[in-house]
């Protein structure tokens, strides 16, 4: 659909250093797309302030008041990247035909957005932005990211390799996404479940222009746990397999002890006993923690608390 209204949704958390450059580049891109009639004149950028502690909201508010093509959504508190992104999509779908989500640091190449919109005009409801390579990442981040995608695939989670949250979605795709009521959101796993026509746009990831990453190792690990526990029960099945392995090992040890006693080689000692106790005890605690993670997800989902609360919407 030509001249469709586009909303570029940008979650923001403590992004005061990078916002001026981000807004300048996105506005220039939006102006160019409107001049070429690739999107409608009513298209806009929606910044979602996720409880920032710096001047992020003040900057967003100044942009929204001065520019009809910029809007600001202020959440009542910090709810996390995925919930903030969902808040932006849920708000934008009310008057936008198509949305594109992108992080405020603009490491995802904004020049891929026009190509995404063209694929939308050709009939795609979802267009994924996929990185060609990860040369801009450190060795540690590149290695852990690759391990993350492979691990998610092995756990049976349907996701797009080297895709983060840079994607285009039509209004009906966002409407369908909003019907999923999970509180532990993992959008990279939810969006592929929608089933609409999809395509990919490949791009090279850029260096961060200012500020620092809001995804340290602790958040990355938490994100991975959310993804696995929200979409796969394989870890629970692995616990059963682990228990069977322990049973087989114990039978093997029993056979060895019987043979050793028959041959008069039985030696009493505490080392092997202590090692076995610590090993099995550690495995039991790991299994209990996996079960506890699932119980925790059930506990959170059963409360049906809102994902976010909107304090102010400037448009």
């Amino acid at each position: 659909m030509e001249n469709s209204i586009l909303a570029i949704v940008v979650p923001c958390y403590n992004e005061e250093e990078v916002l001026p450059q981000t807004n300048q580049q996105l506005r220039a891109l939006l102006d160019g797309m409107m001049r070429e009639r690739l999107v409608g004149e009513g298209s806009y950028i929606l910044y979602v302030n996720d409880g920032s502690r710096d001047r992020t909201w003040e900057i967003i508010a100044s942009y929204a008041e001065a520019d009809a093509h910029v809007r600001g959504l202020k959440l009542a508190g910090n709810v996390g990247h995925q919930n903030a992104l969902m808040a932006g999509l849920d708000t934008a779908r009310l008057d936008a035909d198509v949305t594109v989500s992108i992080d405020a640091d603009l490491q995802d190449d904004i020049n891929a957005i026009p190509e995404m919109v063209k694929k939308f005009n050709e009939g795609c409801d979802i267009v994924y932005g996929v990185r060609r390579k990860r040369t801009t990442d450190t060795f540690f981040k590149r290695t852990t990211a690759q391990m993350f995608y492979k691990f998610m695939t092995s756990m049976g989670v349907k996701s797009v390799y080297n895709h983060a949250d840079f994607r285009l979605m039509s209004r009906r795709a966002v409407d369908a996404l909003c019907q999923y009521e999970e509180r532990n959101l993992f959008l990279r796993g939810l969006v592929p479940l929608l089933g609409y026509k999809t395509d990919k746009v490949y791009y090279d990831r850029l260096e961060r222009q200012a500020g620092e990453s809001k995804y340290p190792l602790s958040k990355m690990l938490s994100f991975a746990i959310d993804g696995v526990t929200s979409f796969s029960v394989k870890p629970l099945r692995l616990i059963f397999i682990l228990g069977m392995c322990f049973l087989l090992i114990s039978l093997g040890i029993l056979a060895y002890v019987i043979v050793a006693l028959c041959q008069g080689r039985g030696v009493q000692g505490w080392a092997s006993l202590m090692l076995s106790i610590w090993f099995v005890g550690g495995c039991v605690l790991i299994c209990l923690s996996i079960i506890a993670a699932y119980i925790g997800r059930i506990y959170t989902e059963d409360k049906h608390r809102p994902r976010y609360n909107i304090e102010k919407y400037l448009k």
Side-chain angles (χ1 to χ4, degrees), residues 74-246:
K74 184 180 182 182
L75 302 183
N78 178 251
V79 295
H81 178 273
Q82 297 291 279
N83 285 316
L85 178 53
M86 196 67 202
L89 294 174
D90 200 6
T91 302
R93 72 184 174 118
L94 300 177
D95 54 13
D97 301 303
V98 59
T99 60
V100 170
S101 57
I102 188 171
D103 289 341
D105 56 20
L106 295 192
Q107 285 187 273
D108 298 315
D109 189 2
I110 63 173
N111 294 312
I113 295 178
E115 188 176 350
M116 288 179 170
V117 174
K118 290 177 182 177
K119 290 184 179 294
F120 165 73
N121 291 333
E122 293 170 0
C124 291
D125 284 282
I126 303 169
V127 183
Y128 299 106
V130 180
R131 297 173 61 170
R132 288 193 182 93
K133 49 190 176 180
R134 309 188 70 97
T135 54
T136 58
D137 290 344
T138 63
F139 173 79
F140 176 77
K141 187 173 183 179
R142 181 168 60 253
T143 304
T144 53
Q146 291 172 346
M147 290 174 60
F148 168 77
Y149 286 112
K150 291 178 181 178
F151 178 68
M152 295 298 285
T153 301
S154 67
M155 289 292 104
V157 181
K158 188 177 180 181
S159 61
V160 179
Y161 186 74
N162 268 349
H163 162 71
D165 287 303
F166 181 34
R167 70 178 72 86
L168 174 146
M169 298 182 69
S170 67
R171 177 185 289 175
R172 71 169 181 172
V174 177
D175 287 343
L177 179 63
C178 289
Q179 295 180 29
Y180 290 78
E181 299 181 352
E182 284 95 330
R183 296 305 181 266
N184 299 289
L185 282 176
F186 183 69
L187 295 178
R188 302 181 198 183
L190 277 178
V191 175
L193 297 179
L194 300 180
Y196 293 115
K197 183 178 179 181
T198 66
D199 206 338
K200 299 176 183 177
V201 170
Y202 293 90
Y203 67 97
D204 293 318
R205 190 167 170 87
L206 308 174
E207 296 283 353
R208 186 179 176 89
Q209 300 181 45
E212 58 184 17
S213 173
K214 304 304 184 296
Y215 258 91
L217 178 60
S218 59
K219 284 192 175 182
M220 291 174 63
L221 290 174
S222 177
F223 191 55
I225 292 172
D226 283 344
V228 173
T229 56
S230 296
F231 288 90
S232 176
V233 295
K234 279 192 175 182
L236 295 175
R237 294 173 182 168
L238 290 175
I239 292 175
F240 173 76
I241 296 174
L242 188 62
M244 295 300 295
C245 290
F246 285 158

Side-chain angles (χ1 to χ4, degrees), residues 277-298:
I277 291 174
W278 280 101
F279 176 71
V280 175
C283 291
V284 169
L285 288 176
I286 292 173
C287 294
L288 287 176
S289 67
I290 293 174
I291 296 172
Y294 281 92
I295 294 174
R297 294 296 179 269
I298 296 171

